Amino acid sequence: MVDYHAANQSYQYGPSSGGNGAGGGGSMGDYMAQEDDWDRDLLLDPAWEKQQRKTFTAWCNSHLRKAGTQIENIDEDFRDGLKLMLLLEVISGERLPKPERGKMRVHKINNVNKALDFIASKGVKLVSIGAEEIVDGNAKMTLGMIWTIILRFAIQDISVEETSAKEGLLLWCQRKTAPYKNVNVQNFHISWKDGLAFNALIHRHRPELIEYDKLRKDDPVTNLNNAFEVAEKYLDIPKMLDAEDIVGTLRPDEKAIMTYVSCFYHAFSGAQKAETAANRICKVLAVNQENEHLMEDYERLASDLLEWIRRTIPWLEDRVPQKTIQEMQQKLEDFRDYRRVHKPPKVQEKCQLEINFNTLQTKLRLSNRPAFMPSEGRMVSDINNCWQHLEQAEKGYEEWLLNEIRRLERLDHLAEKFRQKASIHEAWTDGKEAMLKHRDYETATLSDIKALIRKHEAFESDLAAHQDRVEQIAAIAQELNELDYYDSHNVNTRCQKICDQWDALGSLTHSRREALEKTEKQLETIDQLHLEYAKRAAPFNNWMESAMEDLQDMFIVHTIEEIEGLISAHDQFKSTLPDADREREAILAIHKEAQRIAESNHIKLSGSNPYTTVTPQIINSKWEKVQQLVPKRDHALLEEQTKQQSNEHLRRQFASQANIVGPWIQTKMEEIGRISIEMNGTLEDQLSHLKQYECSIVDYKPNLDLLEQQHQLIQEALIFDNKHTNYTMEHIRVGWEQLLTTIARTINEVENQILTRDAKGISQEQMQEFRASFNHFDKKQTGSMDSDDFRALLISTGYSLGDAEFNRIMSVVDPNHSGLVTFQAFIDFMSRETTDTDTADQVIASFKVLAGDKNFITAEELRRELPPDQAEYCIARMAPYQGPDAVPGALDYKSFSTALYGESDL
């Protein structure tokens, strides 16, 4: 072809002033001056023109394809100026003036002039290249213009050790190929004919793509085709020359070779940028993966704890009563095992879960990630609500157990009392129906009838005296029914039988009385002494039976006052014994007087009192029984008094320890509150002080264990109340758990502050200044402040706030809209305001480098540039790219990058 540089000495093209190469090396004009030394005869070689056309066309298409187009004929497709302007926009990254869309020649010339003006604005002096020649399809001028563009945008900026563009590119090639045999790069024409230099460049940077040792110097076509095919397939460098054209030419076209080699330079010089971009992405992805692992651990631990709570609550809410005290006491023992063995590890898990959650949120804030939102039902607040439900069920379960045990004790006492009174009554009624049905009065004498009438009256008196006992039996049975006694059926059956028998006795008594009164007029008055004896003996006998029943009655008490009341009642009963003894002697005297009168009047008695079955022997026997039962009752009451005195000692012992431990826990809680607000010294000093404080709290645990032992003794003694202290074991346990949780949470807050300070580069003085400012405006000294105090704090630190800006800041420091700002949220905000972090835009820019300036990236590119695990992480999460320039397998790295920082949904 014609040399459009040497053929016209009247024009030169190059930068208008000093070179743009790195280090102030030689200018493009210097390089063009060197071209005058080239062989001008060879410049007219048609083979060179063919090589330039092919190389320049491929070079243009490698950039035009980024805009979704290409050219076929280099001197025809640029004639309207449209693709020429598009090419300049793609390679420069700048916008050119809007092109004219008309088909007339003037429109085409105007478009080409806009392109030439843009080239000139970049410091390139164009001489003898006019828009008309380009529009007319002048091949010489068109190729010259494209070479000018290639020099300016692809070669000019190449500089190695302050050399010019051409020298720098040559020096770069020499250094990269120096270790390879049969390669000696001295120029950009014959040094490249055998193809070994191209293969050496690829092997130096990507040794896995070329088996260099298998190449032969005497097979240039194979060498060139191998290098061109590998570059096109793996390096995204289009094939710009044919091997046959190079081999078949005495000296290949220098411009074509330089253009081709510059593509290799730019492809490999971008490797460092790609590595840097890959490192940034790896760093971001590593942080994201770690955070995801922490989130998964939190979800798993939260699920396990919630599942345990959900399994435990139904057990605590089970209120099915047992039939016996032994079964209920076993339930109580199971509950104690739960409190001692099963619950404490869960308390620790809950505390650790809150600490892990706070640490995760801090790491997310430090890495500029959105706050972690656990799945529905697994928030810390949800766990606290479930825990509160558990403790409410626990408290209600313990109260129910104790009430059930009291109820069963009461039932056992009433049931025994019912059986005792029923047995006494059944013994008394035994044979009474047969006696009342006996028709002995039909054959009796007058005296016998009188005796029978008096005897019947005495029986009626006895019957009335037993009415109270029957009513008591019925009342006890009714109470057992109301208290849901498990053997109520048998009690009701026995009670009904007694009541039915009692009604029958009343009816029979009435019938017998009518029969006796019918014949009463025919009988003589019965001996008054016998009658008086019977009337006095019957109630006295009744009194003794009642006394024996009371003396043998079971009792149950819970306090020293109750047992002292029983002792007082028993002493009062004993004070009535002398009067009873006198009544007994008076009754016995009546019997003796009857015998004396009968003897003095020679009256022959039948040997027994006809009006009563209560003989003096029976009276004396029962009186002796009463005398024996009194000391036994004394002994039983004294034993119970001793037991209650022991219980009182246990109450006082527990109260003495509880009244020390309870206030100690409360004092420590207040001290921790003050420490968390004042926070004197460095954060490490504060952390050390808090951990020492935590150790002192843990060292106090033996006092709590002692209190637990004393509480165990109280429960085993079935002591249910204690008037000597307001503290229950439940209060002490809850206070102790709150104390441990509070000191652990405070330590975690300081650790998070250290983590924030170290990650954000905040000095100790800044941290102290933040703390001092926060404490100044924390008027209530609670460790948090409302929005008004927080606004005043920001103003004091130099912020000029409008409502919109303040609302934005509040949404950052109070994402849950609680209306309160904690010190941790304040220092997180201040650290973000004073330090720099990775952003979504930076990650997008890094991906763009890896993608070769494309708007998308492929899985193959990710696997080539990133470590395997992080490449697969990106591929699994990137959505398909939907842009107009999309190709099969294209992935959208922009939406992926913004999703990493919570700006859109991944």
Side-chain angles (χ1 to χ4, degrees):
M1 60 169 281
V2 177
D3 182 7
Y4 46 81
H5 303 299
N8 191 344
Q9 297 296 325
S10 62
Y11 78 92
Q12 296 288 329
Y13 52 91
S16 60
S17 60
N20 293 333
S27 68
M28 193 190 306
D30 296 335
Y31 167 61
M32 294 307 302
Q34 295 171 8
E35 287 191 340
D36 294 338
D37 299 331
W38 297 356
D39 190 336
R40 297 179 185 274
D41 294 332
L42 291 178
L43 291 178
L44 301 177
D45 190 344
W48 281 31
E49 180 179 351
K50 178 181 178 182
Q51 293 176 22
Q52 285 189 15
R53 282 180 178 275
K54 186 175 296 183
T55 302
F56 292 177
T57 300
W59 185 87
C60 291
N61 284 334
S62 71
H63 293 287
L64 286 174
R65 69 181 179 182
K66 297 177 183 177
T69 187
Q70 62 180 10
I71 61 173
E72 298 293 339
N73 190 325
I74 195 167
D75 48 359
E76 289 293 330
D77 292 349
F78 286 140
R79 291 179 64 183
D80 60 2
L82 296 177
K83 290 188 177 181
L84 178 59
M85 294 178 70
L86 182 59
L87 173 65
L88 291 172
E89 286 186 345
V90 172
I91 62 179
S92 68
E94 301 180 19
R95 297 289 296 177
L96 271 67
K98 185 176 181 181
E100 298 181 10
R101 296 295 179 180
K103 300 295 185 179
M104 298 177 63
R105 177 178 175 82
V106 64
H107 297 139
K108 298 178 180 179
I109 291 175
N110 289 340
N111 289 338
V112 173
N113 276 327
K114 291 178 181 179
L116 296 178
D117 290 343
F118 178 77
I119 296 173
S121 70
K122 297 302 178 181
V124 178
K125 184 177 180 181
L126 297 173
V127 181
S128 298
I129 298 180
E132 291 79 3
E133 287 83 355
I134 304 301
V135 172
D136 293 336
N138 186 318
K140 171 184 173 182
M141 294 301 176
T142 302
L143 291 174
M145 176 187 66
I146 297 303
W147 175 241
T148 301
I149 294 172
I150 293 173
L151 281 175
R152 174 60 183 84
F153 293 101
I155 299 178
Q156 178 179 330
D157 291 337
I158 298 175
S159 176
V160 179
E161 295 185 0
E162 301 184 0
T163 60
S164 65
K166 177 182 178 182
E167 292 172 347
L169 183 60
L170 185 63
L171 179 59
W172 177 78
C173 294
Q174 290 170 344
R175 289 184 174 179
K176 295 299 181 181
T177 60
Y180 294 88
K181 64 181 180 179
N182 297 326
V183 178
N184 183 18
V185 178
Q186 298 297 327
N187 49 53
F188 287 106
H189 36 84
I190 61 176
S191 294
W192 302 84
K193 284 189 65 174
D194 60 8
L196 292 177
F198 285 108
N199 283 280
L201 279 179
I202 297 174
H203 185 269
R204 181 64 181 271
H205 293 90
R206 297 289 298 276
E208 75 278 6
L209 301 180
I210 297 291
E211 293 182 315
Y212 186 83
D213 293 337
K214 294 183 178 181
L215 300 178
R216 293 164 41 202
K217 184 175 180 63
D218 59 356
D219 190 5
V221 174
T222 300
N223 297 341
L224 289 167
N225 283 330
N226 180 65
F228 295 164
E229 290 171 0
V230 169
E232 184 174 30
K233 183 176 180 180
Y234 296 103
L235 303 180
D236 201 25
I237 299 175
K239 187 175 182 180
M240 297 183 179
L241 291 171
D242 290 329
E244 292 75 12
D245 293 339
I246 298 176
V247 174
T249 305
L250 181 62
R251 192 172 89 172
D253 180 60
E254 187 173 36
K255 298 181 180 63
I257 298 296
M258 284 184 65
T259 301
Y260 213 156
V261 172
S262 70
C263 293
F264 284 86
Y265 173 85
H266 288 294
F268 294 134
S269 65
Q272 184 62 36
K273 296 179 181 178
E275 182 180 355
T276 302
N279 289 338
R280 177 183 291 274
I281 292 173
C282 290
K283 174 186 174 184
V284 172
L285 295 179
V287 171
N288 213 60
Q289 288 174 314
E290 180 185 1
N291 291 338
E292 286 184 356
H293 290 322
L294 291 175
M295 294 174 190
E296 291 170 0
D297 291 342
Y298 174 88
E299 292 281 348
R300 176 178 56 78
L301 292 175
S303 298
D304 293 346
L305 182 58
L306 287 171
E307 180 59 27
W308 178 82
I309 293 174
R310 293 189 184 103
R311 290 198 312 268
T312 305
I313 287 177
W315 174 68
L316 294 174
E317 292 179 343
D318 180 16
R319 299 294 191 271
V320 178
Q322 302 299 317
K323 294 181 179 181
T324 64
I325 292 180
Q326 291 74 17
E327 291 174 321
M328 290 306 298
Q329 286 177 336
Q330 182 59 47
K331 275 184 170 287
L332 182 61
E333 186 61 30
D334 293 342
F335 179 72
R336 291 171 183 162
D337 288 340
Y338 157 79
R339 296 288 282 278
R340 292 192 302 262
V341 179
H342 303 294
K343 184 182 177 184
K346 298 302 177 182
V347 173
Q348 183 62 30
E349 287 180 16
K350 176 177 175 291
C351 178
Q352 189 61 44
L353 194 64
E354 292 179 2
I355 292 173
N356 292 349
F357 180 83
N358 292 335
T359 301
L360 173 59
Q361 297 294 41
T362 299
K363 289 186 175 181
L364 289 173
R365 287 192 297 270
L366 293 177
S367 59
N368 202 22
R369 301 303 196 275
F372 169 54
M373 291 296 293
S375 56
E376 183 176 359
R378 293 185 176 90
M379 293 287 291
V380 173
S381 58
D382 296 326
I383 295 174
N384 288 334
N385 290 336
C386 290
W387 190 265
Q388 185 177 7
H389 186 191
L390 173 73
E391 292 186 335
Q392 289 174 350
E394 179 181 314
K395 181 179 180 182
Y397 186 73
E398 184 177 27
E399 293 174 352
W400 174 77
L401 284 175
L402 297 177
N403 290 333
E404 264 314 289
I405 290 175
R406 293 192 189 99
R407 184 182 71 83
L408 290 174
E409 285 182 341
R410 173 69 176 162
L411 284 174
D412 285 353
H413 172 69
L414 288 175
E416 183 60 29
K417 191 172 184 178
F418 172 85
R419 288 190 288 270
Q420 188 179 62
K421 287 184 177 293
S423 297
I424 293 173
H425 176 78
E426 288 166 348
W428 178 82
T429 58
D430 185 38
K432 293 295 188 294
E433 288 187 17
M435 181 195 73
L436 293 172
K437 292 177 181 179
H438 191 215
R439 304 177 67 86
D440 54 348
Y441 56 85
E442 294 180 351
T443 58
T445 62
L446 181 61
S447 58
D448 292 334
I449 292 299
K450 290 288 186 180
L452 289 176
I453 291 175
R454 299 298 181 267
K455 182 179 179 180
H456 190 70
E457 290 177 349
F459 174 76
E460 287 180 329
S461 177
D462 197 11
L463 188 67
H466 279 78
Q467 177 68 34
D468 290 338
R469 181 179 290 115
V470 174
E471 292 176 354
Q472 290 175 5
I473 291 172
I476 293 173
Q478 178 64 29
E479 188 171 359
L480 287 172
N481 280 314
E482 292 174 353
L483 293 176
D484 195 25
Y485 182 55
Y486 77 95
D487 199 22
S488 294
H489 175 72
N490 291 332
V491 170
N492 292 335
T493 301
R494 190 173 184 182
C495 180
Q496 187 62 45
K497 182 179 179 181
I498 290 173
C499 292
D500 292 342
Q501 185 185 40
W502 184 256
D503 292 337
L505 286 177
S507 177
L508 290 172
T509 299
H510 179 70
S511 299
R512 184 173 177 82
R513 184 174 184 81
E514 288 181 344
L516 291 173
E517 288 177 350
K518 183 178 180 181
T519 58
E520 186 178 14
K521 294 179 181 179
Q522 302 172 3
L523 301 176
E524 293 194 353
T525 306
I526 298 181
D527 188 24
Q528 294 298 319
L529 286 174
H530 278 184
L531 182 58
E532 182 180 0
Y533 173 86
K535 289 183 177 180
R536 295 181 68 175
F540 185 75
N541 180 62
N542 234 1
W543 175 86
M544 287 191 295
E545 287 180 350
S546 296
M548 288 188 294
E549 182 179 342
D550 292 337
L551 290 171
Q552 296 179 83
D553 189 20
M554 296 177 62
F555 57 86
I556 179 171
V557 294
H558 296 93
T559 65
I560 190 69
E561 290 80 9
E562 291 177 356
I563 189 60
E564 288 175 353
L566 289 178
I567 292 174
S568 176
H570 183 62
D571 291 339
Q572 185 177 359
F573 166 76
K574 289 193 294 184
S575 67
T576 65
L577 290 178
D579 292 337
D581 190 38
R582 285 191 288 272
E583 176 66 10
R584 179 183 67 84
E585 290 176 353
I587 293 172
L588 293 178
I590 293 174
H591 178 72
K592 291 178 181 179
E593 181 65 17
Q595 289 181 334
R596 187 189 65 78
I597 293 174
E599 290 175 358
S600 63
N601 292 287
H602 306 289
I603 299 173
K604 187 176 181 180
L605 300 176
S606 61
S608 62
N609 194 325
Y611 303 115
T612 182
T613 59
V614 180
T615 65
Q617 291 78 13
I618 291 175
I619 292 175
N620 288 331
S621 175
K622 291 184 177 180
W623 178 255
E624 183 179 355
K625 181 66 173 177
V626 169
Q627 294 295 101
Q628 293 173 354
L629 290 174
V630 168
K632 291 182 179 180
R633 185 71 168 184
D634 288 336
H635 180 70
L637 291 173
L638 287 175
E639 282 186 344
E640 184 63 28
Q641 186 181 33
T642 301
K643 176 183 175 182
Q644 291 303 323
Q645 288 174 345
S646 174
N647 289 352
E648 184 68 7
H649 172 70
L650 291 176
R651 288 188 183 95
R652 293 180 180 276
Q653 179 178 268
F654 174 85
S656 176
Q657 184 70 6
N659 288 335
I660 294 173
V661 174
W664 183 88
I665 292 175
Q666 184 175 357
T667 300
K668 293 300 178 183
M669 288 290 290
E670 293 172 355
E671 291 177 358
I672 293 172
R674 290 195 300 270
I675 291 173
S676 65
I677 293 174
E678 295 171 357
M679 289 299 180
N680 296 322
T682 66
L683 290 178
E684 285 76 10
D685 293 340
Q686 297 166 17
L687 183 60
S688 175
H689 180 57
L690 285 170
K691 288 186 176 180
Q692 292 175 1
Y693 206 86
E694 183 183 37
C695 291
S696 69
I697 292 174
V698 173
D699 293 341
Y700 197 77
K701 183 65 165 55
N703 295 283
L704 201 73
D705 295 339
L706 175 61
L707 198 62
E708 287 281 7
Q709 295 173 6
Q710 295 171 351
H711 180 66
Q712 178 72 16
L713 294 175
I714 285 179
Q715 287 195 324
E716 290 174 353
L718 298 178
I719 300 173
F720 306 114
D721 52 14
N722 193 339
K723 66 181 180 180
H724 303 296
T725 181
N726 293 325
Y727 293 97
T728 66
M729 197 62 226
E730 178 62 24
H731 293 152
I732 298 297
R733 291 192 193 104
V734 171
W736 179 255
E737 292 171 358
Q738 290 177 347
L739 180 61
L740 293 178
T741 301
T742 300
I743 187 63
R745 185 182 296 112
T746 304
I747 290 173
N748 178 247
E749 288 177 357
V750 176
E751 289 173 340
N752 285 340
Q753 291 174 22
I754 293 174
L755 187 61
T756 301
R757 182 200 65 190
D758 295 341
K760 300 299 183 177
I762 299 174
S763 67
Q764 182 62 37
E765 290 75 16
Q766 286 178 306
M767 188 64 72
Q768 291 177 348
E769 182 180 355
F770 290 160
R771 168 56 75 181
S773 300
F774 188 91
N775 288 345
H776 177 74
F777 288 92
D778 183 12
K779 299 176 181 178
K780 298 180 181 178
Q781 298 297 302
T782 60
S784 60
M785 61 180 67
D786 57 25
S787 57
D788 291 336
D789 290 339
F790 183 63
R791 181 191 287 269
L793 172 58
L794 290 178
I795 292 173
S796 73
T797 58
Y799 279 85
S800 179
L801 298 174
D803 290 341
E805 176 63 10
F806 180 72
N807 291 334
R808 180 192 70 80
I809 294 175
M810 282 299 294
S811 68
V812 173
V813 299
D814 183 22
N816 296 325
H817 304 292
S818 64
L820 296 176
V821 180
T822 64
F823 177 69
Q824 183 64 38
F826 170 66
I827 63 171
D828 287 344
F829 168 75
M830 294 303 294
S831 65
R832 281 196 296 272
E833 293 296 307
T834 57
T835 58
D836 186 23
T837 59
D838 290 330
T839 65
D841 290 339
Q842 291 175 329
V843 177
I844 290 173
S846 298
F847 273 116
K848 190 168 186 180
V849 172
L850 297 188
D853 287 336
K854 299 192 297 294
N855 292 324
F856 59 84
I857 194 167
T858 65
E860 183 179 270
E861 290 170 334
L862 287 171
R863 292 190 178 103
R864 186 176 69 230
E865 301 295 346
L866 298 180
D869 60 332
Q870 296 185 339
E872 297 304 325
Y873 177 85
C874 294
I875 293 169
R877 287 162 172 77
M878 282 188 182
Y881 177 67
Q882 304 295 336
D885 53 341
V887 299
L891 300 175
D892 189 352
Y893 60 79
K894 291 184 179 179
S895 62
F896 172 77
S897 300
T898 55
L900 287 177
Y901 290 86
E903 299 177 17
S904 66
D905 295 331
L906 183 56

